[in-house]
């Protein structure tokens, strides 16, 4: 339907055009590339997982800088960081920000912008393209890895557990061989969206690659994480996978591991959960192992 025949679409476009310009920090390079922070109040920048803009590289201090709302302006303030900040190539301790100022903190380049509604929508779309897998709606691996490091850092600091699920669909090869790869892709995407719905509000999910997924569950010990895994297992078993009138019946094997009981860092946590997932495969598939 053309836009002029769709009043709701036309109204939304006009709303975006008329939206006031709002201050935004856009991360252009570094591990957080593609991230954007809409400035509505003063914010903290640093490696601290509770910061509004988390930059996890080693050149960034725990509390590196603050963007302060001064009423009539936004001011970037260095919080006695180890490696300092630069704006437009100049080292500074404090800087009153202007549109298109280029900020460098550690290995990240950040731009201060005043964006209207259309620019904000464009950046949201770009952020989704960079960070979200379009087939499953889950995070891509790069974004998930950064989020997992942030969650682990917070868990360690707070003395709390965190569990990781490594999940691999069963039966996708047979579906591909029998019906074609479009059917396999449908199952992978549908399963990912189901996993995302189950994890919503309790953790974050990722499509690891192919028909594999990851789920991070902050605050969950192994027993509680297993309950989430059981919901996913049952969800896959009971979901009506059907394409072009053809019913499809995938299963899923899930491995569970927890910080700090099974591992002390992200890499060893993944290895522990991955080994558990392979035990599930070797024990007959479509089951959970810890």
């Amino acid at each position: 339907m053309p836009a002029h025949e769709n009043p709701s679409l036309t109204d939304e476009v006009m709303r975006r055009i008329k939206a006031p310009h709002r201050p935004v920090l856009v991360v252009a390079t570094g591990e957080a590339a593609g991230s954007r922070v809409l400035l509505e109040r003063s914010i903290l920048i640093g490696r601290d997982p509770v910061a509004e803009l988390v930059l996890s590289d080693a050149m960034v201090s725990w509390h590196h800088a603050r963007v302060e709302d001064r009423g009539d302006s936004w001011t970037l303030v260095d919080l006695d960081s180890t490696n300092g900040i630069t704006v437009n190539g100049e080292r500074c301790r404090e800087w009153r920000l202007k549109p298109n100022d280029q900020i460098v903190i550690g290995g990240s380049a950040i731009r201060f912008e005043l964006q209207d509604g259309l620019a904000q929508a464009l950046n949201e779309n770009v952020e989704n393209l960079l960070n979200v897998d379009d087939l499953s709606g889950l995070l891509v691996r790069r974004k998930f890895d950064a989020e997992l490091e942030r969650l682990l850092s917070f868990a360690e600091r707070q003395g709390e557990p965190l569990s990781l699920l490594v999940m691999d669909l069963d039966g996708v090869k047979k579906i591909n061989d029998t019906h074609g790869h479009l059917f396999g892709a449908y199952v992978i995407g549908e399963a990912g969206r189901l996993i995302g719905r189950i994890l919503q509000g309790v953790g974050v999910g990722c499509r690891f690659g192919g028909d594999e997924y990851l789920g991070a569950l902050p605050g969950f010990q192994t027993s509680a994480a297993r309950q989430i895994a059981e919901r996913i297992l049952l969800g896959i078993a009971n979901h009506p996978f059907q394409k072009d009138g053809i019913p499809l019946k995938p299963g899923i094997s899930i491995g569970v591991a927890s910080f700090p009981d099974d591992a002390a860092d992200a890499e060893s946590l993944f290895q522990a959960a991955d080994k558990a997932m392979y035990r599930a495969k070797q024990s007959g598939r479509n089951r959970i192992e810890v």
Side-chain angles (χ1 to χ4, degrees), residues 268-284:
S268 55
L269 184 62
F270 170 78
Q271 291 174 351
D274 195 47
K275 288 178 181 177
M277 186 273 292
Y278 275 103
R279 288 197 298 273
K281 291 280 191 186
Q282 293 165 357
S283 299

Side-chain angles (χ1 to χ4, degrees), residues 224-274:
R226 185 184 179 103
Q227 292 178 9
I228 298 296
E230 288 170 352
R231 287 180 57 194
I232 293 171
L233 188 75
L234 288 173
I236 295 294
N238 296 327
H239 187 75
F241 291 93
Q242 183 169 300
K243 178 175 171 59
D244 297 343
I246 298 174
L248 306 166
K249 295 296 291 183
I252 193 165
S253 297
I254 306 175
V256 183
S258 299
F259 165 89
D261 292 345
D262 301 316
D265 56 58
E267 182 177 355
S268 55
L269 184 62
F270 170 78
Q271 291 174 351
D274 195 47

Side-chain angles (χ1 to χ4, degrees), residues 20 54-55 102 130 165 205 257 268:
V54 179
L55 303 176
Q102 307 291 323
L130 288 170
L165 309 180
S268 55

Side-chain angles (χ1 to χ4, degrees), residues 50 57 100 256:
V50 303
D57 76 75
N100 299 316
V256 183

Side-chain angles (χ1 to χ4, degrees), residues 2-3 11 19-20 31 89 94 117-118 141 152 166 171 173 175-176 185 195 210 212 226 235 260 269 274 282 288:
D11 290 346
E31 293 183 4
E94 187 171 307
L118 288 176
R141 180 67 190 271
L152 271 174
V166 172
K173 183 179 186 302
I175 290 170
N176 284 337
I195 289 169
E212 298 173 293
R226 185 184 179 103
L269 184 62
D274 195 47
Q282 293 165 357
I288 301 162

